[in-house]
Amino acid sequence: AAMRLLATMAPDTASMSMVLAVIAGGSILLGNLGALTQTDIRRMMAYSGVAHTGYLLLGAVTLTTSGYIAAVFYAVAYAFPSLGVMLVTAEEGPALADLNGLSSRRPAAAWATAVMLLSLIGIPPLVGFFGKLFLFQAALSGGQTVLVVLAVTMSVVSAGYYLRIVRAMFFAEEEPGHRGAALNRPAAVALTMCIIAVVGIGLFAGPLFQAMGTFLR
């Protein structure tokens, strides 16, 4: 909806592109640097959401149809893994320490969470990689080289806090007295759907992006 509105209101306005570029760069910096210091996963993911909004705006900065399509694709690429991570957090607890030893008591959930975190970092062949690739291509085509360099650099920085969660799940000892989540079939189904989307959309990213472009044009 935001991309449609922007395309209608300011298709060729240079000043709008400058405003969006400042917001995008500020969001990427604030979100990633803010997330680095968090030990509460909800706060970490909230700052992460600010950063990913900045990435998404890279498509809007171009004020082109290809940029808008890349932004919409990225919204989908971000939604599924972030939902999956928050689902596991809701079950296990908000503190980073609550996920300590998750691989021992819930290996499937731990591996699923790891895959979703790798997607958020932008590791191929997961959907997050292609989401960023399409955005960066659109931004470079629109002459936003500085923003793309910033976004790539901050993507590397994001690995610092996402991998802290992976470390807690696989390499830290479970906290004494921590009570893990009971079996919840609806939650398990939802988590499975997120994983299927993260892997499946990544494997068919090219055709899906083209189909999305045809639909949104």
Side-chain angles (χ1 to χ4, degrees), residues 16-102:
M16 178 63 76
S17 179
M18 183 179 299
V19 169
L20 290 172
V22 171
I23 296 173
S27 297
I28 292 170
L29 278 172
L30 174 64
N32 282 302
L33 296 180
L36 275 174
T37 62
Q38 303 304 316
T39 56
D40 185 299
I41 298 177
R42 294 172 303 182
R43 291 178 180 271
M44 185 186 296
M45 293 302 293
Y47 275 108
S48 169
V50 174
H52 285 284
T53 300
Y55 295 133
L56 187 149
L57 286 176
L58 287 177
V61 168
T62 66
L63 300 179
T64 62
T65 301
S66 60
Y68 299 148
I69 295 170
V72 174
F73 184 92
Y74 192 78
V76 176
Y78 166 69
F80 284 108
S82 62
L83 282 171
V85 172
M86 291 304 297
L87 177 61
V88 174
T89 300
E91 290 187 302
E92 294 292 328
L96 185 62
D98 290 331
L99 293 186
N100 286 358
L102 184 65

Side-chain angles (χ1 to χ4, degrees), residues 149-169:
V149 171
L150 173 65
V152 171
T153 303
M154 288 296 103
S155 291
V156 175
V157 171
S158 72
Y161 55 86
Y162 287 134
L163 292 180
R164 285 168 60 201
I165 302 177
V166 175
R167 179 184 178 278
M169 294 189 299

Side-chain angles (χ1 to χ4, degrees), residues 117-138:
L117 291 169
L118 292 176
S119 180
L120 289 171
I121 295 172
I123 302 300
L126 304 174
V127 64
F129 167 78
F130 292 101
K132 289 183 177 179
L133 177 64
F134 296 148
L135 275 179
F136 295 166
Q137 287 177 336

